[in-house]
């Protein structure tokens, strides 16, 4: 009995000292200077993210709107892969950040800008939309209402978008359901622009 009590007591002492050592080595409280520097870094990152960008709001209906942000494209901030068309002896940009991209007909020049964010306010909540691979979304560098159409179905909405800066036209379609959004298409094929004929 005594042996058991001694073993339990010894075990508890070991656990206590183990926790004490771990706490002192891994849970060192942050100094005020460290907190200040971390906040400055977060602020600078945020400022950098919004540099050379435009943003706005588009009212699609009285209860549905879009919030968008377009940022100037910087090659230094992106991973750009070039390919060569040997038959035409032309070098072109085949991938940006390891993905195919939209917004240029020939893809021989870098994009001017990119759609960085797009969110739809619907049923009282903002929902982020997938805007990866979307470059040169408008000639003016600003989105407008004429580029979009929203259709309501029984259990979901479909948002259609048309993007072009004069060439390299493409369309994107999003399905919004149960407070979630999925981009179901991004394409430059003519048949995928049929939504523009909807009434």
């Amino acid at each position: 009995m005594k042996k058991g009590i001694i073993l339990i007591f010894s075990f508890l002492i070991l656990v206590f000292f183990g926790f004490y050592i771990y706490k002192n080595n891994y849970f060192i409280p942050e100094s005020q200077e460290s907190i200040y520097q971390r906040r400055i870094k977060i602020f600078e990152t945020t400022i950098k993210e919004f540099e050379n960008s435009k943003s706005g709001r588009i009212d699609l209906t009285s209860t549905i709107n879009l919030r968008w942000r377009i940022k100037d494209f910087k090659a230094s901030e992106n991973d750009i892969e070039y390919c060569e068309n040997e038959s035409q002896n032309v070098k072109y940009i085949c991938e940006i950040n390891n993905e195919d991209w939209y917004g240029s007909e020939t893809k021989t020049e870098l994009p001017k800008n990119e759609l960085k964010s797009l969110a739809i306010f619907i049923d009282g909540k903002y929902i982020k939309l997938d805007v990866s691979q979307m470059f040169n979304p408008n000639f003016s560098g600003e989105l407008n209402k004429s580029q979009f159409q929203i259709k309501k179905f029984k259990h979901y909405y479909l948002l259609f978008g048309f993007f072009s800066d004069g060439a390299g036209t493409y369309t994107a379609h999003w399905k919004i359901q149960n407070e979630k959004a999925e981009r179901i298409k991004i394409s430059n094929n003519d048949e995928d622009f049929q939504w523009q004929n909807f009434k």
Side-chain angles (χ1 to χ4, degrees):
M1 183 73 176
K2 285 183 180 178
K3 242 182 188 179
I5 292 170
I6 291 168
L7 283 170
I8 291 168
F9 187 69
S10 301
F11 175 74
L12 289 172
I13 290 172
L14 282 172
V15 169
F16 174 78
F17 278 110
F19 178 76
Y20 179 78
I21 291 165
Y22 183 80
K23 182 184 173 187
N24 285 342
N25 285 290
Y26 296 97
F27 291 99
I28 301 167
E30 241 185 320
S31 68
Q32 287 299 318
E33 179 65 22
S34 176
I35 292 169
Y36 178 71
Q37 290 299 328
R38 184 163 48 82
R39 286 178 180 167
I40 286 177
K41 192 173 181 180
I42 291 168
F43 179 74
E44 286 175 346
T45 303
T46 306
I47 291 294
K48 188 179 178 184
E49 183 63 26
F50 281 85
E51 270 180 346
N52 303 312
S53 69
K54 293 180 181 179
S55 60
R57 169 178 162 156
I58 298 169
D59 291 320
L60 298 177
T61 71
S62 60
T63 58
I64 300 172
N65 68 70
L66 294 170
R67 292 277 186 180
W68 58 267
R69 185 165 66 88
I70 294 173
K71 185 179 180 184
D72 291 351
F73 183 82
K74 289 186 178 179
S76 59
E77 296 175 2
N78 295 274
D79 183 16
I80 298 165
E81 185 177 335
Y82 288 90
C83 296
E84 195 165 336
N85 185 329
E86 292 180 6
S87 62
Q88 297 180 3
N89 195 26
V90 175
K91 207 174 187 181
Y92 65 97
I93 302 162
C94 46
E95 288 187 349
I96 297 175
N97 301 323
N98 303 310
E99 290 185 305
D100 190 14
W101 63 287
Y102 294 83
S104 173
E105 193 170 6
T106 61
K107 297 188 176 182
T108 53
E109 294 181 2
L110 290 168
K112 293 193 294 291
N113 48 44
E114 60 182 308
L115 184 55
K116 288 297 285 184
S117 66
L118 185 64
I120 187 165
F121 183 82
I122 202 163
D123 296 333
K125 183 179 180 180
Y126 272 108
I127 302 166
K128 284 186 178 181
L129 304 176
D130 180 6
V131 293
S132 59
Q133 304 170 272
M134 299 176 69
F135 298 85
N136 298 335
N138 189 297
F139 183 77
S140 68
E142 296 184 14
L143 299 184
N144 61 69
K145 188 176 179 178
S146 65
Q147 291 181 249
F148 296 94
Q149 189 176 134
I150 184 100
K151 276 189 74 71
K152 185 177 182 179
F153 295 84
K154 189 174 181 180
H155 299 295
Y156 62 91
Y157 292 86
L158 284 180
L159 175 69
F160 301 93
F162 167 88
F163 305 93
S164 174
D165 71 341
T169 304
Y170 60 100
T171 183
H173 309 166
W174 294 269
K175 182 178 181 180
I176 299 113
Q177 185 176 23
N178 299 327
E179 299 184 347
K180 292 181 181 177
E182 177 190 6
R183 189 175 66 190
I184 55 176
K185 189 173 289 292
I186 181 167
S187 167
N188 51 19
N189 296 324
D190 290 344
E191 61 267 24
D192 294 320
F193 291 84
Q194 293 301 313
W195 61 269
Q196 291 178 311
N197 300 320
F198 295 164
K199 290 185 179 178

